[in-house]
Structures are given as C-alpha cells and as structure tokens.
Amino acid sequence: MMQPEMPICNTCGEQVGFGSDGNSVFVSCHECNFPICKACLDYEIKEGHTHCIQCGSPYDHGTMTIADVAEKEPVAHTSMGSHLSNPQDSGLHARNISTVSTVDSEMIDESGNPIWKSRIDGWKDKKNKNKKKVTKVPKEVQVPTDQQMDENQQPGEPNAMQPLSQIIPIPKSQITPYRIVIIVRLIILGLFFHYRITNPVESSYGLWLTSVICEIWFAISWVLDQFPKWYPVNRVTFTDELSRRYEREGEPSELAGVDFFVSTVDPLKEPPLITANTVLSILAVDYPVDKVSCYVSDDGAAMLSFESLVETSEFARKWVPFCKKFSIEPRAPEFYFSQKIDYLKDKIQPSFVKERRAMKREYEEYKVRVNALVAKAQKTPEDGWTMQDGTPWPGNNPRDHPGMIQVFLGHNGALDVDGNELPRLVYVSREKRPGYQHHKKAGAENALVRVSAVLTNAPYILNLDCDHYLNNSKAVREAMCFFMDPQVGRDVCYVQFPQRFDGIDRSDRYANRNTVFFDVNMKGLDGIQGPVYVGTGCVFYRQALYGYGPPSLPTLKPASSSSCCCCGPKKPKKDLEEFKRDARRDDLNAAIFNLKEIESYDEYDRSLLISQMSFEKTFGMSSVFIESTLMENGGLAESANPATMINEAIHVISCGYEEKTAWGKEIGWIYGSVTEDILTGFKMHCRGWRSIYCMPTRPAFKGSAPINLSDRLHQVLRWALGSVEIFLSRHCPLWYGWGGGRLKLLQRFAYINTIVYPFTSLPLVAYCTLPAICLLTGKFIIPTLSNLAAVWFLGLFLSIITTSVLEIRWSGVSIEELWRNEQFWVIGGVSAHLFAVFQGFLKMLAGVDTNFTVTSKQADDLEFGELYMIKWTTVLIPPTTLLVLNLVGVVAGFSDALNKGYEAWGPLFGKVFFAFWVVLHLYPFLKGLMGRQNRTPTIVILWSVLLASVFSLVWVKIDPFVSKNDSTLNQGCIAIDC
C-alpha cells in the first residue's frame, strides 16, 4: 500500500526501499534526506564519494531511516520533484546532468537512445534497464560548484558563497513622498470629478459631457500607468563573483551556454553591414567560446545575406582575437572605429597602435567587399542568382524555397589567426511554401529555437534585432548573475535589458530614446513580477519558452501530501485528480506540465504524460528535438548523431512542422499580433514566471532608431496596431489567465495599459478639438469657478507637477526627457494610435488589411540629416488638422474679444490657454513638418489652406462678431439717429 508513496532514487530511478528494520524508508543522508537507494549508496562509497551529493555532509554509513530522522526533526519525505525545486540545486548548470536522467530514467535506454518508437511498451522493461544503468550514472554526478567547500576553509569560517546580484531599493526619502503624492492625487481626482459631474454647463451641455468622458478615460489611463510603478527597484550584479564561482583556474568553465539569435529579412532595407556588425560583436563577446553560438535567421532567403555572412566569418578570424587581446569596447567594428574618444586610454601595450591601424585597414577592405556585394545585388539576374559552383541559389524565390542551414564557424570549423577556437556561427533560412502561414518574425524565432535545440541546445537564448549590437562585451555575464544565482534564478524566465540608441539628435525631438518607459516604467515592473519583453536585448531561459511552469508552482496541498510513511494514510486519489484539473484549468493549461508534478503521478499517468504521442502533439514530429526539451540544463543528448544533426535541423524548420502542434499557441514566440514580444512575455508571466530588469552601467546593447517624424510615427503605428490585435484576441489581459492567480494584480494593470493605450487616441482627439470649438462658438466646458472648485483645479495641477518631479528624482530621467515623452504621447495619440485603432478593427473584424505606406525623399548628407527628411503619409493628417484648427480658433477668439470689449477678455484667457496647451504639445510635430529651412512639402501647404478655408467658412456661418443681444441695441441706435 505504501509503494506509491516510496521516494524515488535520484541515481537509478528505482524506489529507495526500506532500511535494515524492514519497516522504515531508507535514508542515505540524515542532514537533507536526499533520496538515494542502498545499492547506489554503496557504489558511491566504494568509488570514494563519501559526502552527500546535495548538502555535502558525510554519509552515516547508510544506516539511517526515516524513523531515525523523524526522531531528530520531523521532515516531509523528499522526492525527485522536491529536489528539482531546491534553491541550491537550481543553480547547477553542469552539462552532464539533465532531467532526462533525473526525472525519468526510463526515457533513455542502455545505449542512450530515446525510447519513443516503442512508446508504452518500453515501460515494461523499466527495471531491467535501470539495473544496467546503476553503475554508469553515478560517475556523471558531481557536487555543484556553489555547494563545494574550499579545502582551506575552516569549519568555523563563514560561508564563502556570495550573492551574484543584489536588489537596491529606492531610498525611503524618495519613494515614500512619491507614494503619498500618488494617493493624494487619487483623492483629488475623486473630488475633481465630483465637482465636474455635479456642475454641468447647461449652455454647452454637449461640450461639457464630451470633456467629462474624456477626463474620466484619462484618469483610468493614469491609474493603469501609475500604480505599476509603486515598487521600483534597482539591481546590481557581481560578475567577478560569477567568474570566481564558475570559472576556476585550470578547470573547464561551468558557465551555462547561450545561443544568440539574430533576425533579418530584407538585406536591401536592413543593410548587411549593420547585421554583420551585430554578428561580429556577438562572436567577440567576453564569454567562453565553447558556450557561445550565433544563429542568423535570413527570412528573406537572400543570397546577399548569405555571401555577406561568408565575408563576415572570414573577417571574424582577425577581429575576435584583436578585441579580446586589447579588451576593445564596443566590439562592433563600425561603432568602435567611429568613436570620437581617446582610443589610447587604458591601452598600454606597445603594439596596440600598430595593430589597431592594421585592423582598421582590414575593416575598410572588408567594408569594400560587402558594399560590392550590395551593389551587385541591386539588380537581380533574369535567371536568378547562382552560387560559386554554378548551381542555382535555392532561395531565388523567397516565397517558395527549401530550408537552408550552413555552419560557418564552430568547434570543428576555422580557427582564428592565433589558432584559437571561434564561437559557432550558423546561417538559417527556414523553408517556405505557398499555402502555409509563416507568421513573420515570430515564426522565424521559433524556427531558430528548434534548430538551436538540435545543434547546440544551450539552456539560455539571447535574441537581438539585426541592428542591435553588443555595446558591453560582459552583457551575457550580467544576465548569468541572475540565472545562475540559486536564490534568484529558479523562477526567472528572462532577463530584459533596456534599449539604447545611436544617432539620435541631442534634443531627442520625437522621444526616440523612450527613456521614460525604459528608466521609469520598467524599473517599476521589476519590483512586481518583472519587466515586459520588448522584442530585443533579452536573455530567455529555454525551458520557459517550451511552456513549462516554474519550479515554484504550487504543489499538492499540505493536508494531502504525506510527511512520512508512518504519519498517516495514503493520500486520496480524489485530491490528485483535483490537482491535475486545477493545474490544467482554463487558459493556464499553457504550461504543458510542471516537472515537479511528475513524481506525484502513478506509473500509468506518467507514461501517458511523457509518451511519444503527447510530446509530438506539443512539440512536433522530431524525437531529437523532443529529447532536448527534457534536458533542463541544456546540452546535447547522448543519442545525438553528428552525421544526422543537420538533416534533423532541416526537418524542424520545414514549413509544415508546426501544423497541429502548440508552436505559437502555447510554446515559443506566440502568434496573433505584430507585437509578438508582448504576447510572449505575457504568457510566461501568466504561468507564474517572473522576469528581471538588468541595467548595467555600460549599456548592454545599442541599436538604431528612426529619427525623422514620418518613420517614427510609422513605427509607433505598428506597435499600437499590435496592441489592438491583442485586445481583440483571446489573450487580452482583461480576461485571460485570471483562474490561477499567478499574474499579480499590478502586473496585470501594466499589461492592460499596454493593450488599451491606443484607444486613448479617441478621447485625446476630441479633447484637443474642444479648445478650437470653444473659441469659435464662444462657449466653454467649465462653468464659473467657485473658490472651492478653484482649489480642486489648483490641487490637481500641483499634484501632477509634484508626481513628475518626484518621479524624476528616483528614476534619474531629466525634465527634458519627461517633457519630450509627454509631447510625443499627444503627437502619437492623435495620429498613429488613431489609425491603429481603425486599422485593427478593420483587420480583426472585417478582414481588411490596410497599410499606410511611407514614401521617402532624399535628405542632406549632414549630421542628423535624416531628422529633416519629409516622408508624406496619411498619418500626418489628423495632427495637421488639429494644429490648423486651434490656430484658427485662437485668431477667432481674439477677434471676438476685440469686438465685445473688456468683459470678454477674462473668459478668453482660459480658452486660449487650453488651445496653447494643444499647440505646445504638437510643436515638435509642427517643426517636423516645416523641415530644414522651412521647406514644407506642397501637400502640407495644400492641406493647411484647405482646412483654414473650411474653418473660416464655419466661423463666418457662426458669426461670432454679433451677439444675441445686439438686435435690441441696434434698434435703439436707429431710433436715436432718427
């Protein structure tokens, strides 16, 4: 009866068995109750391993039992599931230990091959296979480095283990006033709306009602944006401690492997030289060479991308050793050589100047070769491209071509000029055929996940856009300080770095840097459940991408779980069934299964759970890939055959591989929106994972951003459209994932804010139109203010200003950055966000896909010349209209006041202030329309004239020069004159 409750041996997978008394469960270590059977313990001692694998305590000759341990201290029985969730063990990243051997040893046969084809029949031979493996597995088991005691360390000395990262809370002198002002502002908002609702303006009821509705929506948006910033935190990492712990001199590095993903589509729009600089910065990263692999996804199957990568791999043989020899920063040659700094600073080697000049000459020659390839690719031959051997390029038709994989560098590839090994560099172009949905960037990223799992299977993945290079060569080490910290990394699904940009004008006219978002909002989320995923500069835990839940997911209820074999009856089967249902209920069944739960299942349920059929329905028809998903700490399976790895990799990127699987639905990058990054991070947080925000002193990554007005609005339009698509999907944060309570409330507020912000454009356009209407009609949205009402208005303005000042104080952003963000919130809201709402509804409800194209003009070849480029697009129409409308309204208002006399000037100032608020926020837009030296596009002039004419006619129709009481006055004047 007690068989199902018997712990499982961590080494051989058999039940631990009973002790010498025949009644109590055998225990090898009386300190931590680590599950290991008597046979495996005897073998360990025979091999000279006299200390516990888990805690390092000496074995007590294997004579202890559960009953003996209970006399010292009552403990719950330890299973493999609890071992996997142990904070200390979660820091183990040795490649020779994986969940294939620890969770279910029957998943691998004697020769190390996966038992998929035999399915359930293989379970019948479980005992025989495990007995044969008993003498093999223990040799691979090692004590984690972070649990080893130094030989010179005395027992009385404190533990030498230091944290790899630390949270630095915001000082109370800064955060406490900030929170108080937020609460005060919330109270003032309530009193303000009480006044606004109870004091309607009868003479202009429609305008008053419109303004109140808009103000209520703005208040809701403020709450969704403000309260997720309630717990901002700063973090600091200790990379030196990471090296001391995992990179001991004379021993192989124990740092975890990282697979880099770089995505590109069209080399004519995304210059190959920019992509090459990103790749070169990755290959030269400050990290063990055998732990780094770079996968470049060419989703356009362009021969130009392939040939430029050939040139890049050859140049890398010279560039990588140069960077490592002289500690170059940054390690992207284009940006290193263009720095306007003293490059001799901290470079004391006599040969540096000579080698730097030689390397710069090599890079210039490399650029010439790459630019020649670009020039050649400008005109495609009629018969398509041909390779050097004369065969046609397989990707001549970018919409119908086979999958292509080419390994340029790697463990068996070319060495650098110093004879050292280089990181692996792999070119990948997934198969595309007509009639298949390929899901753009998200589909390309998922293809890279599968290819990398087959070829290298590093436990961590770092994805970058092709124009984001490593600005800090130690960025990966910064991320590993969180992942490899046993106390922090257990439940971390990804580490997000802020985006920083090159080539932006000093004033940052259109808020391209997004400083407020990256330095304020993301810090706030880091104190809750973690920052959102922003699409690039992010290091993922591979298992989280596979849909697994974190180790700390709720286990069986304490009342239902047995503490020891003699402490109560067997747990009822009913509780287990309820637990299974709860773990898979509603939308939270996204977690395929939690590795901790396996030990709670009986043999039949376990066989169904990890059978071939269940895995193939989830991950697809690839036994090699399926086996890799079970390797929690990465590494290639013993059954991996190098001769067939490329064929298997080609198989997993076939266009039909994802059909009838969970790819894009529950695992990998999630489909359904052009902003797949938001969806992917949201699903992980809903499963209970948390993320980390890492802001090293030297920015980890840098990229390029569109700095002219039209391109910036077009970028914002795409982001807003993605948010609308998520709002109209089943993954909307308003209703998705409430059942399990794994997504914290303030975190949900943040996600709701990311998908509803485009809808703010509707009340914002209305609110920006109200000043002009009030000036043209002589009416106003606010009645005559009483002294108490004036206090509420004054208090509201002061609370807004105080909140911003205190936010600047703890975040470190400047007043200018905050103001630019406020301006572009209005500019984007009345243009790109407005179009995104209509386009999203047309696309999701009517199936009409409307694209707002942008046409370019040439810019001056000067610094920031692109800033003055004018690209006409329909997105520019609404803000242009609002500008003209408010300027016409101001002219009309002053004309009316001059006509009516002194009494009209008082009400005029309130209306004009309101109009100038709109014009001031739209001023960067107006300046962008004017371009350099006031060369405004003809289309803008035509629109301005047309709109001015229309509103002038409206003004004449309203006739503001004559008031309603003028008729009696005129009659009197006529009588006197007579």
Side-chain angles (χ1 to χ4, degrees):
M1 294 179 60
M2 295 192 298
Q3 287 296 100
E5 297 296 322
M6 187 73 67
I8 303 300
C9 175
N10 179 67
T11 301
C12 66
E14 291 289 344
Q15 294 180 346
V16 170
F18 298 98
S20 57
D21 57 3
N23 296 321
S24 301
V25 178
F26 174 79
V27 176
S28 61
C29 177
H30 62 275
E31 293 293 334
C32 66
N33 196 20
F34 186 64
I36 185 172
C37 67
K38 184 68 166 59
C40 293
L41 176 64
D42 292 340
Y43 181 84
E44 287 283 330
I45 296 176
K46 182 179 178 181
E47 291 291 313
H49 303 152
T50 59
H51 289 72
C52 177
I53 295 175
Q54 176 165 286
C55 67
S57 302
Y59 290 125
D60 191 14
H61 304 293
T63 58
M64 297 297 291
T65 63
I66 285 288
D68 297 326
V69 176
E71 292 179 1
K72 295 181 64 177
E73 180 180 358
V75 294
H77 96 265
T78 305
S79 64
M80 189 56 219
S82 61
H83 168 59
L84 287 175
S85 64
N86 191 299
Q88 293 177 335
D89 290 333
S90 64
L92 176 61
H93 290 274
R95 288 300 189 92
N96 58 351
I97 300 178
S98 71
T99 53
V100 175
S101 60
T102 56
V103 176
D104 224 338
S105 58
E106 66 272 19
M107 297 300 296
I108 298 179
D109 64 12
E110 182 179 359
S111 60
N113 294 319
I115 313 173
W116 297 113
K117 296 182 179 180
S118 57
R119 297 194 181 184
I120 308 301
D121 295 337
W123 294 79
K124 297 179 181 180
D125 301 327
K126 172 183 174 182
K127 292 185 178 181
N128 295 332
K129 295 181 183 297
N130 284 330
K131 288 180 180 179
K132 295 178 182 179
K133 292 180 59 177
V134 167
T135 60
K136 296 181 179 181
V137 178
K139 293 182 180 180
E140 300 180 353
V141 178
Q142 299 175 357
V143 180
T145 306
D146 58 349
Q147 296 174 11
Q148 294 177 350
M149 180 180 292
D150 194 290
E151 295 180 357
N152 298 325
Q153 183 180 351
Q154 300 298 324
E157 293 181 2
N159 188 1
M161 193 69 64
Q162 299 296 328
L164 299 179
S165 64
Q166 184 178 352
I167 295 178
I168 303 179
I170 306 296
K172 290 185 178 180
S173 60
Q174 297 178 4
I175 196 64
T176 301
Y178 178 67
R179 292 171 178 170
I180 292 174
V181 171
I182 290 175
I183 298 300
V184 170
R185 182 174 173 181
L186 194 63
I187 296 172
I188 293 177
L189 271 175
L191 297 172
F192 170 79
F193 283 119
H194 177 267
Y195 167 78
R196 292 285 282 135
I197 294 173
T198 56
N199 292 271
V201 182
E202 300 295 342
S203 60
S204 55
Y205 191 83
L207 296 178
W208 166 82
L209 182 62
T210 302
S211 65
V212 170
I213 294 174
C214 294
E215 289 163 1
I216 291 175
W217 179 264
F218 295 151
I220 295 174
S221 298
W222 173 77
V223 170
L224 293 176
D225 179 70
Q226 189 69 62
F227 278 88
K229 296 182 281 190
W230 188 262
Y231 299 104
V233 297
N234 293 312
R235 296 181 186 269
V236 63
T237 56
F238 307 109
T239 55
D240 292 339
E241 175 63 22
L242 179 77
S243 298
R244 189 186 70 82
R245 189 180 304 184
Y246 294 105
E247 291 184 296
R248 296 190 175 184
E249 187 176 355
E251 299 179 6
S253 173
E254 295 181 3
L255 291 174
V258 180
D259 289 336
F260 288 78
F261 293 174
V262 179
S263 301
T264 183
V265 180
D266 188 351
L268 297 179
K269 294 181 179 179
E270 300 166 334
L273 194 60
I274 298 298
T275 304
N277 272 270
T278 300
V279 172
L280 289 169
S281 68
I282 293 172
L283 297 178
V285 67
D286 182 8
Y287 207 70
V289 172
D290 59 324
K291 307 288 185 179
V292 176
S293 299
C294 178
Y295 293 84
V296 180
S297 171
D298 177 19
D299 218 31
M303 189 172 177
L304 173 58
S305 298
F306 181 85
E307 290 185 333
S308 65
L309 212 57
V310 173
E311 294 289 347
T312 301
S313 63
E314 183 63 26
F315 178 71
R317 299 178 61 243
K318 305 171 185 176
W319 173 252
V320 172
F322 171 75
C323 291
K324 294 186 176 181
K325 180 179 180 180
F326 298 109
S327 301
I328 298 300
E329 293 287 359
R331 299 190 177 181
E334 182 70 23
F335 301 95
Y336 169 69
F337 289 121
S338 63
Q339 289 182 116
K340 298 179 180 179
I341 61 173
D342 181 13
Y343 63 85
L344 293 177
K345 185 178 181 181
D346 301 328
K347 299 294 186 299
I348 60 176
Q349 296 92 329
S351 63
F352 172 68
V353 174
K354 181 179 179 180
E355 292 193 33
R356 184 185 185 276
R357 290 174 181 171
M359 184 53 60
K360 187 173 184 181
R361 185 166 55 252
E362 292 281 355
Y363 178 63
E364 293 298 331
E365 294 174 358
Y366 161 74
K367 287 174 62 176
V368 170
R369 294 193 298 270
V370 173
N371 290 332
L373 294 175
V374 175
K376 178 183 176 182
Q378 296 294 327
K379 186 177 181 180
T380 306
E382 295 181 0
D383 298 333
W385 299 104
T386 57
M387 295 185 288
Q388 292 182 354
D389 59 359
T391 58
W393 171 248
N396 278 324
N397 186 348
R399 298 183 180 181
D400 186 3
H401 65 85
M404 294 178 284
I405 297 177
Q406 176 66 46
V407 180
F408 290 107
L409 302 173
H411 306 304
N412 298 320
L415 303 177
D416 64 24
V417 292
D418 294 338
N420 298 319
E421 189 178 338
L422 288 168
R424 188 186 298 257
L425 176 61
V426 184
Y427 170 88
V428 179
S429 182
R430 57 182 173 141
E431 181 186 19
K432 286 190 176 181
R433 302 296 183 191
Y436 288 92
Q437 179 61 261
H438 299 104
H439 304 288
K440 298 181 180 179
K441 181 182 177 180
E445 295 287 349
N446 285 337
L448 289 182
V449 171
R450 298 191 293 271
V451 167
S452 61
V454 172
L455 297 182
T456 50
N457 197 34
Y460 300 103
I461 293 170
L462 195 161
N463 85 294
L464 291 171
D465 288 343
C466 63
D467 60 345
H468 276 71
Y469 64 92
L470 266 77
N471 183 65
N472 184 347
S473 62
K474 296 184 182 294
V476 180
R477 294 178 180 271
E478 299 275 353
M480 290 301 113
C481 285
F482 301 106
F483 282 121
M484 300 189 72
D485 191 330
Q487 303 301 323
V488 177
R490 296 175 61 241
D491 299 334
V492 177
C493 57
Y494 61 82
V495 174
Q496 177 67 63
F497 292 87
Q499 291 186 26
R500 303 300 187 211
F501 303 98
D502 290 316
I504 297 178
D505 61 303
R506 184 176 300 176
S507 63
D508 193 13
R509 183 186 298 177
Y510 308 121
N512 285 280
R513 292 190 177 93
N514 276 336
T515 311
V516 174
F517 173 75
F518 287 114
D519 290 7
V520 181
N521 297 58
M522 297 285 267
K523 278 186 181 179
L525 290 176
D526 198 16
I528 307 173
Q529 199 172 343
V532 298
Y533 168 44
V534 297
T536 184
C538 185
V539 185
F540 286 95
Y541 180 39
R542 187 183 285 270
Q543 293 287 313
L545 282 172
Y546 289 156
Y548 296 120
S552 64
L553 277 179
T555 54
L556 295 174
K557 298 178 182 179
S560 301
S561 61
S562 59
S563 58
C564 66
C565 63
C566 57
C567 293
K570 176 183 176 181
K571 74 174 174 293
K573 188 175 181 180
K574 177 181 178 182
D575 292 339
L576 179 60
E577 294 299 323
E578 290 178 355
F579 175 73
K580 292 179 183 178
R581 280 199 308 271
D582 292 341
R584 294 162 175 78
R585 66 191 173 201
D586 302 330
D587 295 321
L588 289 178
N589 61 2
I592 307 305
F593 62 87
N594 184 15
L595 296 178
K596 283 177 57 181
E597 299 172 12
I598 295 182
E599 50 89 17
S600 303
Y601 288 54
D602 58 30
E603 185 172 348
Y604 176 75
D605 287 340
R606 190 188 308 155
S607 66
L608 292 180
L609 181 65
I610 54 179
S611 67
Q612 179 186 17
M613 183 178 298
S614 63
F615 270 88
E616 287 179 351
K617 286 183 177 179
T618 302
F619 296 111
M621 302 287 290
S622 172
S623 60
V624 175
F625 176 73
I626 290 172
E627 186 175 357
S628 72
T629 64
L630 294 176
M631 305 184 72
E632 188 174 5
N633 297 312
L636 296 179
E638 295 179 0
S639 61
N641 183 357
T644 60
M645 286 174 64
I646 294 296
N647 291 333
E648 191 68 24
I650 291 290
H651 168 60
V652 298
I653 61 172
S654 59
C655 56
Y657 183 86
E658 294 184 356
E659 287 193 343
K660 299 181 180 179
T661 66
W663 284 102
K665 303 184 183 97
E666 306 298 345
I667 62 176
W669 270 257
I670 306 302
Y671 304 150
S673 171
V674 295
T675 54
E676 69 287 332
D677 46 2
I678 298 294
L679 268 181
T680 303
F682 175 62
K683 293 278 284 189
M684 292 182 183
H685 284 137
C686 283
R687 296 184 187 116
W689 291 97
R690 69 182 308 270
S691 54
I692 296 288
Y693 196 51
C694 182
M695 297 181 65
T697 304
R698 180 180 178 85
F701 308 97
K702 279 191 175 182
S704 57
I707 65 173
N708 67 71
L709 177 61
S710 303
D711 285 350
R712 175 69 167 136
L713 289 178
H714 201 261
Q715 179 190 58
V716 172
L717 170 62
R718 185 175 60 84
W719 292 344
L721 176 60
S723 295
V724 175
E725 290 174 342
I726 297 174
F727 177 81
L728 298 174
S729 71
R730 72 182 187 92
H731 291 118
C732 178
L734 287 169
W735 50 74
Y736 181 85
W738 283 94
R742 297 170 185 169
L743 187 68
K744 295 185 178 180
L745 182 61
L746 293 183
Q747 191 81 12
R748 186 177 295 277
F749 276 12
Y751 274 111
I752 292 175
N753 188 49
T754 61
I755 59 103
V756 302
Y757 78 88
F759 297 95
T760 305
S761 60
L762 299 174
L764 187 59
V765 169
Y767 211 69
C768 289
T769 308
L770 287 176
I773 296 177
C774 292
L775 287 167
L776 290 171
T777 60
K779 300 176 181 179
F780 202 38
I781 58 176
I782 300 174
T784 304
L785 294 178
S786 62
N787 292 334
L788 183 60
V791 170
W792 300 142
F793 274 87
L794 182 61
L796 182 60
F797 280 109
L798 289 177
S799 65
I800 293 173
I801 295 172
T802 307
T803 304
S804 300
V805 170
L806 293 175
E807 206 166 80
I808 289 172
R809 188 182 176 196
W810 66 255
S811 66
V813 300
S814 66
I815 296 177
E816 183 182 16
E817 290 170 331
L818 198 68
W819 173 238
R820 290 300 189 196
N821 181 78
E822 181 74 15
Q823 285 181 311
F824 199 78
W825 174 73
V826 176
I827 295 172
V830 300
S831 56
H833 298 172
L834 181 66
F835 276 75
V837 171
F838 289 106
Q839 185 177 358
F841 276 96
L842 286 174
K843 181 178 179 180
M844 302 300 292
L845 301 181
V848 179
D849 192 2
T850 306
N851 293 317
F852 302 101
T853 57
V854 179
T855 57
S856 302
K857 291 186 179 181
Q858 296 296 325
D860 295 333
D861 189 15
L862 299 171
E863 186 179 12
F864 306 121
E866 187 184 354
L867 179 66
Y868 306 100
M869 290 174 61
I870 299 299
K871 304 178 181 181
W872 176 249
T873 172
T874 49
V875 176
L876 302 178
I877 295 176
T880 303
T881 304
L882 287 174
L883 271 172
V884 174
L885 182 59
N886 279 277
L887 291 175
V888 170
V890 170
V891 174
F894 276 103
S895 301
D896 191 33
L898 289 171
N899 182 60
K900 289 185 178 179
Y902 176 79
E903 294 181 356
W905 286 95
L908 175 66
F909 283 126
K911 302 173 186 176
V912 170
F913 173 80
F914 198 8
F916 270 117
W917 179 90
V918 176
V919 174
L920 194 61
H921 279 76
L922 293 176
Y923 175 72
F925 175 85
L926 177 62
K927 197 171 182 179
L929 284 181
M930 301 303 294
R932 179 180 285 276
Q933 299 176 356
N934 297 335
R935 292 179 296 181
T936 308
T938 305
I939 188 67
V940 176
I941 298 175
L942 293 176
W943 262 101
S944 301
V945 172
L946 176 63
L947 292 173
S949 302
V950 170
F951 290 115
S952 297
L953 292 174
V954 174
W955 181 20
V956 172
K957 178 66 177 178
I958 296 174
D959 197 7
F961 290 105
V962 179
S963 63
K964 296 180 179 179
N965 298 325
D966 284 347
S967 57
T968 56
L969 179 62
N970 293 338
Q971 291 178 0
C973 293
I974 294 174
I976 293 174
D977 292 338
C978 294

